[in-house]
Amino acid sequence: MIRLEQILTPGRSLVNVPGGSKKRVLEQIAKLVARDLPDLDNQDIFESLVAREKLGSTGFGNGIAIPHCRLTGCTSPISAVLRLDAPVDFDAIDGAPVDLLFVLLVPEAATDEHLELLRQIASMLDRSDVRERLRQASDSTSLYQVVVDVQSGR
């Protein structure tokens, strides 16, 4: 089974990301992920994320969004986590603006493994103590470390 820390890196764990709007945030996510996927164009990633949002917001509630999509040309799951410098409206279920985003991109032929990764993310972010720790992380490394620690049961 794939675990979250296997598909997330400190380089894709960012704090104080300028938000502005949902569109801008999705553009930034696409640029960030494209750096590690040389075969994929950030515009394609952006468009896939936007297409998924049109099916229904990935705003999860409690200031959290989990933008995710299947991606042609993506060979294995890839994840990123961002904490915005200011919350943005993300059409979340509870109407609250979003400041924490957990991103999951999976290959076109998504499997149960990918649903399991989404479940891992959702159950982790369901915990108020975890959300608090993510919001208090002072830099990329500590943001990443919170995820690793939580996954390891610390």
Side-chain angles (χ1 to χ4, degrees):
M1 184 182 84
I2 298 181
R3 290 172 56 84
L4 213 41
E5 66 269 24
Q6 294 171 300
I7 62 169
L8 180 69
T9 65
R12 288 194 306 271
S13 306
L14 301 181
V15 299
N16 297 325
V17 175
S21 69
K22 182 175 181 174
K23 180 177 180 277
R24 285 239 338 111
V25 170
L26 294 174
E27 281 171 349
Q28 301 212 66
I29 289 169
K31 283 187 185 133
L32 172 65
V33 174
R35 287 194 325 221
D36 293 337
L37 296 172
D39 300 342
L40 292 173
D41 178 60
N42 65 355
Q43 190 60 33
D44 292 342
I45 298 169
F46 171 69
E47 286 169 9
S48 296
L49 287 166
V50 168
R52 171 58 191 84
E53 287 298 324
K54 284 181 179 158
L55 298 175
S57 174
T58 56
F60 182 75
N62 294 309
I64 308 267
I66 309 176
H68 59 280
C69 63
R70 295 175 185 209
L71 204 54
T72 310
C74 178
T75 53
S76 62
I78 185 168
S79 187
V81 60
L82 290 81
R83 193 181 74 226
L84 304 179
D85 61 358
V88 299
D89 179 24
F90 220 83
D91 309 311
I93 301 168
D94 61 358
V98 162
D99 65 336
L100 278 175
L101 295 104
F102 231 107
V103 183
L104 181 64
L105 304 179
V106 298
E108 189 82 70
T111 62
D112 290 348
E113 201 173 52
H114 306 138
L115 294 174
E116 171 56 28
L117 284 166
L118 272 175
R119 195 198 59 73
Q120 279 180 46
I121 294 170
S123 64
M124 178 174 73
L125 297 176
D126 227 12
R127 295 172 39 194
S128 59
D129 63 312
V130 173
R131 294 192 303 268
E132 195 54 41
R133 284 165 69 184
L134 290 167
R135 288 189 169 111
Q136 287 173 350
S138 56
D139 56 32
S140 297
T141 309
S142 47
L143 187 66
Y144 173 74
Q145 197 58 51
V146 170
V147 175
V148 173
D149 288 351
V150 170
Q151 289 276 292
S152 309
R154 289 197 287 275

